[in-house]
């Protein structure tokens, strides 16, 4: 007995003669080939597209149960133990060469994707010394070139940062695979059942400055969500990016996946960015991560959809009814934990009744840490060391040890200030009043709104996403930290049993 669906498969007018995975089954392809070539019903009538039982394909294997022709000129192939990346690559090239298909999509199983992620994580830990050495060279060059403190802060990688990258990959591996998830099925009066299925976006281009962790985070999220990735890091992180990319490539290959599933552009020529963002025929989505200038340029020039946020002008509002110790702790952390990140507080709003209780304490902390304070007239009356704030300060993402401070008369005034001057990134209220907290999270129009927590928690890792591809302040498709679900879309699935529309 032979299972003809495994050893061969008909694909758009021709047949694939498959090199089987198990040695014991390889003769099946030889027998099937003999039938196609010599049986009176098939001889001279079957177009052989791929495969030859007399050829040694080495590690390349392919089985018909993993092949699914779908629509015009498109073939889906499941990648796994029996159908390897090498086999699918040879199969795809043969179809292209003979015009039998214009698109071959390889879908890796969840187990294979998770295996690759775990292997990459292990390589990152194993090569931590080399990663830190490459990063130290990048940081030294950045200082020599006069890059600002915020950029150097984002560029710097520590041993703890390498461990966080590896842990992030392991967390992504542990997350449910979103691809193929079907939800929201409802039966309609017509008799059809309608639901939705999650599918990958396609090819995602990520353009980023500094932040060597993005190379690992982006690779992990794109791989797990079934997308191919093209990564273009900044010249300031070139050495470390390539060192991380080497771990990614080796992990992919060791798991049986093509190393081209995640590609790192090795040129630092700015023209490469211009090319990447104007190629909708090859790239489905662009995700820029970096300074406002970079993101504005990409948003302006791109011909590909962009997931982005321009800046992170984040606020903490200390309400009248607050636990003062809690308020001081949160406001301190939100500003001074790190200065160069998009979720750092840039403006502190304090209710007029709470200001005498907390503003002096906070000023002592900020000034002791070298933070420059710029305040409204009432704030300066309480803290004479403040300089005068202008409208420009309310609108500025400093990414530096500078903080704007304003005293407000009410929750309404705080919400109005945030919605006028903020960037719709992350804003927090510190209060013990439940009603006011609920009003704040309903009426503040930001991607993340928080109650009694530091804005520094606005991060994919902290939200349980494993990692994030970036943070979006847009309102369509993805908003806030963008993890696995944000790198998929949903298509409609309709199930029927012969229904027609009257």
């Amino acid at each position: 007995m032979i299972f003809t669906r495994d050893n061969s498969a008909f694909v758009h007018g021709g047949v694939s003669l498959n090199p089987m995975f198990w040695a014991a089954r390889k003769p099946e392809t030889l027998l099937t080939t003999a039938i196609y070539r010599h049986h009176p019903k098939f001889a001279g009538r079957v177009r052989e597209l791929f495969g030859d039982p007399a050829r040694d394909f080495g590690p390349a294997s392919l089985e018909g149960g993993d092949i699914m022709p779908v629509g015009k000129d498109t073939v889906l192939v499941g990648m796994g133990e029996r159908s390897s990346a090498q086999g699918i690559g040879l199969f795809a090239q043969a179809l292209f060469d003979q015009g039998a298909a214009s698109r071959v999509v390889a879908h890796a199983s969840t187990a294979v994707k998770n295996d690759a992620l775990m292997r990459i994580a292990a390589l990152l830990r194993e090569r931590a010394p080399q990663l830190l050495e490459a990063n130290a060279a990048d940081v030294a060059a950045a200082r020599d070139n006069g890059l600002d403190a915020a950029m150097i802060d984002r560029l710097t990688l520590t041993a703890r940062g390498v461990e966080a990258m590896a842990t992030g990959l392991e967390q992504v591996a542990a997350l449910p695979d979103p691809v193929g998830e079907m939800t929201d099925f409802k039966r309609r009066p017509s008799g059809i059942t309608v639901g939705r299925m999650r599918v990958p976006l396609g090819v995602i281009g990520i353009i980023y400055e500094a932040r060597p962790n993005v190379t690992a985070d982006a690779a992990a999220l794109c791989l797990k969500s079934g997308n191919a990735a093209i990564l273009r890091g900044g010249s300031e992180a070139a050495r470390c990016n390539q060192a991380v990319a080497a771990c990614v490539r080796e992990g992919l290959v060791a798991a049986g996946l093509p190393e081209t599933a995640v590609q790192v552009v090795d040129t630092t020529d700015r023209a490469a960015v211009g090319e990447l963002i104007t190629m909708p025929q090859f790239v489905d989505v662009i995700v820029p991560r970096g300074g406002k200038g970079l993101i504005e340029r990409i948003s302006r020039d791109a011909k590909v959809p962009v997931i982005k946020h321009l800046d992170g002008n984040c606020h903490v509002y200390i309400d009248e009814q607050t636990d003062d110790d809690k308020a001081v702790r949160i406001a301190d952390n939100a500003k001074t934990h790190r200065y160069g990140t998009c979720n750092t507080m840039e403006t502190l709003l304090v209710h007029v009744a709470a200001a005498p209780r907390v503003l002096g304490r906070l000023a002592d902390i900020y000034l002791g840490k070298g933070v420059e304070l710029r305040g409204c007239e009432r704030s300066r009356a309480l803290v004479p060391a403040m300089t005068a704030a202008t409208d420009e300060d309310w609108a500025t993402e400093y990414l530096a040890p500078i903080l704007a401070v304003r005293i407000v008369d009410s929750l309404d005034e705080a919400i109005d200030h945030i919605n006028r001057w903020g960037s719709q990134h992350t804003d927090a209220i510190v209060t013990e009043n439940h009603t006011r907290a609920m009003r704040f999270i309903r009426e503040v129009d930001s991607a993340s709104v928080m109650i009694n927590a530091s804005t520094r928690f606005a991060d994919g890792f902290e939200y349980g996403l494993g990692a994030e591809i970036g943070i979006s302040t847009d309102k369509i498709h993805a908003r806030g930290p963008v993890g696995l679900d944000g790198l998929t879309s949903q298509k409609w699935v309709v199930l029927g049993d012969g229904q027609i529309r009257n």
Side-chain angles (χ1 to χ4, degrees), residues 386-418:
M386 288 187 190
T387 58
T390 65
D391 284 353
E392 183 179 356
D393 289 302
W394 307 135
T396 298
E397 179 190 32
Y398 298 114
L399 297 174
I402 305 171
L403 178 66
V405 182
R406 182 177 180 183
I407 292 175
V408 296
D409 292 316
S410 65
L411 173 62
D412 289 320
E413 188 177 349
I415 293 172
D416 288 345
H417 178 102
I418 293 170

Side-chain angles (χ1 to χ4, degrees), residues 122-162:
L123 285 167
L124 289 174
R125 289 193 177 97
E126 178 185 319
R127 298 182 185 172
Q130 295 96 311
L131 298 179
L132 295 176
E133 182 180 353
N135 181 252
D138 286 334
V139 172
R143 290 200 173 98
D144 291 342
N145 292 329
L147 270 63
D148 61 46
M151 179 70 81
I152 290 174
D153 178 60
R154 293 195 295 272
L155 175 62
T156 302
L157 184 66
T158 64
R160 183 176 179 183
V162 174

Side-chain angles (χ1 to χ4, degrees), residues 122-460:
L123 285 167
L124 289 174
R125 289 193 177 97
E126 178 185 319
R127 298 182 185 172
Q130 295 96 311
L131 298 179
L132 295 176
E133 182 180 353
N135 181 252
D138 286 334
V139 172
R143 290 200 173 98
D144 291 342
N145 292 329
L147 270 63
D148 61 46
M151 179 70 81
I152 290 174
D153 178 60
R154 293 195 295 272
L155 175 62
T156 302
L157 184 66
T158 64
R160 183 176 179 183
V162 174
E163 178 58 31
M165 279 197 294
T167 301
L169 266 72
E170 291 168 343
Q171 288 190 349
V172 172
L175 293 172
D177 191 338
V179 178
E181 177 187 26
M182 293 192 286
T183 58
D184 304 327
F185 277 90
K186 297 177 183 177
R187 190 169 180 83
R188 304 295 300 147
S190 63
I192 63 171
T193 300
V194 180
R196 292 187 290 182
M197 174 189 286
R198 286 208 171 272
V199 294
L201 295 178
V203 178
I204 300 177
I206 300 99
I207 300 165
Y208 51 103
E209 297 173 335
R211 296 184 174 93
N213 64 292
V214 173
T215 304
D217 292 350
L221 290 170
C222 289
L223 175 62
K224 184 66 179 268
S225 57
N227 297 287
I230 301 174
L231 311 181
R232 198 278 187 182
S235 58
E236 66 284 341
R239 299 171 185 84
C240 193
N241 284 342
Q242 289 299 327
V244 175
C247 296
V248 173
R249 286 193 297 269
E250 290 184 36
L252 289 170
V253 172
L257 294 173
E259 65 177 44
T260 51
V262 179
Q263 301 182 44
V264 178
V265 178
D266 55 10
T267 178
T268 56
D269 188 343
R270 289 172 60 88
V273 173
E275 291 290 328
L276 186 62
I277 65 177
T278 56
M279 302 170 71
Q281 69 272 36
F282 300 118
V283 180
D284 295 286
V285 179
I286 290 290
V287 182
R289 295 192 64 177
K292 189 172 183 178
L294 170 72
I295 297 172
E296 284 180 332
R297 174 201 166 196
I298 290 173
S299 301
R300 180 185 66 245
D301 298 342
K303 296 180 180 179
V304 178
V306 178
I307 297 175
K308 68 184 187 303
H309 76 274
L310 284 179
D311 49 22
N313 186 11
C314 304
H315 300 74
V316 172
Y317 166 59
I318 298 177
D319 185 49
E320 174 186 10
Q321 298 182 28
T322 186
D323 178 320
D324 293 352
D325 292 337
K326 184 187 298 182
V328 169
R329 187 167 63 253
I330 290 171
D332 174 21
N333 179 265
K335 182 60 194 178
T336 68
H337 182 249
R338 284 186 69 183
Y339 296 117
T341 56
C342 62
N343 56 14
T344 295
M345 174 182 65
E346 305 290 21
T347 298
L348 173 65
L349 303 175
V350 186
H351 191 282
V352 63
R357 306 196 312 262
V358 300
L359 202 48
R361 292 174 59 185
L362 282 168
D364 289 341
I365 293 171
Y366 292 140
L367 294 172
K369 294 182 178 181
V371 177
E372 177 187 343
L373 301 177
R374 302 177 184 178
C376 65
E377 184 176 351
R378 289 191 290 183
S379 299
R380 297 199 313 277
L382 291 174
V383 183
M386 288 187 190
T387 58
T390 65
D391 284 353
E392 183 179 356
D393 289 302
W394 307 135
T396 298
E397 179 190 32
Y398 298 114
L399 297 174
I402 305 171
L403 178 66
V405 182
R406 182 177 180 183
I407 292 175
V408 296
D409 292 316
S410 65
L411 173 62
D412 289 320
E413 188 177 349
I415 293 172
D416 288 345
H417 178 102
I418 293 170
N419 287 339
R420 177 182 178 186
W421 298 106
S423 61
Q424 299 183 318
H425 189 294
T426 303
D427 300 289
I429 182 173
V430 186
T431 185
E432 300 301 307
N433 186 301
H434 178 76
T435 301
R436 293 182 182 182
M438 293 301 102
R439 269 201 63 204
F440 183 90
I441 63 173
R442 281 197 306 269
E443 297 180 24
V444 170
D445 187 19
S446 296
S448 290
V449 286
M450 301 184 171
I451 300 170
N452 295 332
S454 168
T455 57
R456 288 284 293 128
F457 281 110
D459 174 84

